[in-house]
Amino acid sequence: MGCIESLSYEVVLQGASFKECREYIRANCREYRIVEPGFKIFEKPIIGIPPISIGLDGDTITFPFTKPCYGTFLLRVDDSEEAERIRREGKPG
Amino acid sequence: MTSGQGAAGKTAVLVLGCPQVPVQTGIALYLMSQLRKRGISSTIAGNRAARLLIEVSDPERHYISEVMDLDRYIADLADKKRQFDYHFVFIHNDAGVSYAATVQALTQKTVIALIYGEHFQDVAGEIEFPCEKVMAKAVHNPMPLKNKLDEVLPWVVSNL
């Protein structure tokens, strides 16, 4: 699973700032973990301004995804293994 | 102030943002020429459009040496496969700040943030991590940013 574009994802926010994505996760996800830039999600290093928050609702992961020309998207993907790994390796928020 | 001759043999990477602001390509080529004069080899990291603009602008490769995909560059830093002495990050939007923060966190080095565009002051205000800011209101005319770069480049290559 090397490419986020190939995943089945839902776009939660589009054209938001990185800060707005972080605030959305903290306000709307049941739990969140804090990770460093470069932490891999679906095998891809995450881009962002520390502290980077990743939201978890059961097996659902909510995370920022940044592209140079399109800014930051907040994406939501269901994946139990990846959610468990993030829960285990991230720092509790 | 020295001209940075002591930097010979070092390596730099120019991390390009979205090429929607016209000055980016010209400033990148100018910066590569200035680094080359000081004996510093440059690598370009950018998305496909940004890379192609550079490559089409320097078809004989007078200034360009290595060109790499932006995602590959970040992955190589994260995996500790690549190191550079200088990281020049081109920033004109929120995404550029995110990339610069990521580079700084992965390398623990002082990145050189080239901040430009219509809203350069707002964008610069988002930066809270350690970096050297080179900033100017430059959209179509590269001279304000080029002049700032001329002021600080000798110091940057001598001290970072």
Side-chain angles (χ1 to χ4, degrees), chain A residues 16-18 37-38 40 44-50 66-69 71-72, chain B residues 18-19 47 70-71 74-75 78-79 93-95 97-99 101-102 105-106:
Chain A
S17 69
F18 198 84
K40 290 187 179 173
K44 187 159 180 142
I46 196 163
I47 305 294
I49 303 166
T66 302
K67 300 294 281 182
C69 293
T72 300
Chain B
C18 174
N47 69 6
L70 182 59
D71 290 340
I74 294 292
D79 294 337
N93 60 11
D94 188 73
V97 177
S98 293
Y99 274 94
T102 302
L106 290 174

Side-chain angles (χ1 to χ4, degrees), chain B residues 128-142:
Chain B
E128 294 175 350
F129 50 88
C131 73
E132 187 64 33
K133 294 177 187 171
V134 182
M135 49 196 272
K137 185 171 183 174
V139 180
H140 297 96
N141 177 1

Side-chain angles (χ1 to χ4, degrees), chain B:
Chain B
M1 191 176 281
T2 73
S3 60
Q5 257 74 19
K10 291 191 172 183
T11 58
V13 59
L14 280 60
V15 185
L16 303 183
C18 174
Q20 71 183 131
V21 181
V23 298
Q24 176 171 271
T25 302
I27 289 292
L29 286 164
Y30 177 74
L31 177 55
M32 283 192 287
S33 79
Q34 294 301 304
L35 292 171
R36 174 171 282 203
K37 279 183 187 173
R38 292 169 168 84
I40 301 168
S41 65
S42 305
T43 295
I44 287 284
N47 69 6
R48 186 167 184 271
R51 295 194 315 264
L52 286 173
L53 275 162
I54 292 285
E55 291 182 305
V56 166
S57 304
D58 183 17
E60 305 298 329
R61 291 191 171 248
H62 293 297
Y63 305 115
I64 302 171
S65 50
E66 183 184 8
V67 177
M68 68 191 299
D69 177 67
L70 182 59
D71 290 340
R72 169 55 51 201
Y73 161 69
I74 294 292
D76 283 355
L77 291 186
D79 294 337
K80 310 286 183 205
K81 287 182 181 171
R82 291 293 299 265
Q83 288 184 350
F84 297 92
D85 295 301
Y86 308 104
H87 298 258
F88 293 89
V89 185
F90 287 68
I91 302 172
H92 68 86
N93 60 11
D94 188 73
V97 177
S98 293
Y99 274 94
T102 302
V103 172
Q104 195 278 326
L106 290 174
T107 63
Q108 294 299 307
K109 291 179 81 83
T110 301
V111 303
I112 304 109
L114 276 67
I115 309 161
Y116 53 98
E118 192 69 39
H119 307 290
F120 76 103
Q121 285 174 320
D122 295 338
V123 172
E126 293 177 34
I127 296 178
E128 294 175 350
F129 50 88
C131 73
E132 187 64 33
K133 294 177 187 171
V134 182
M135 49 196 272
K137 185 171 183 174
V139 180
H140 297 96
N141 177 1
M143 293 312 288
L145 191 57
K146 184 244 180 219
N147 291 339
K148 289 280 183 186
L149 200 51
D150 287 341
E151 283 175 27
V152 302
L153 195 59
W155 183 89
V156 163
V157 298
S158 299
N159 293 282
L160 296 184

Side-chain angles (χ1 to χ4, degrees), chain A residues 48-69:
Chain A
I49 303 166
I52 299 177
S53 299
I54 301 178
L56 296 164
D57 292 279
D59 292 341
T60 303
I61 308 158
T62 305
F63 62 100
F65 180 60
T66 302
K67 300 294 281 182
C69 293

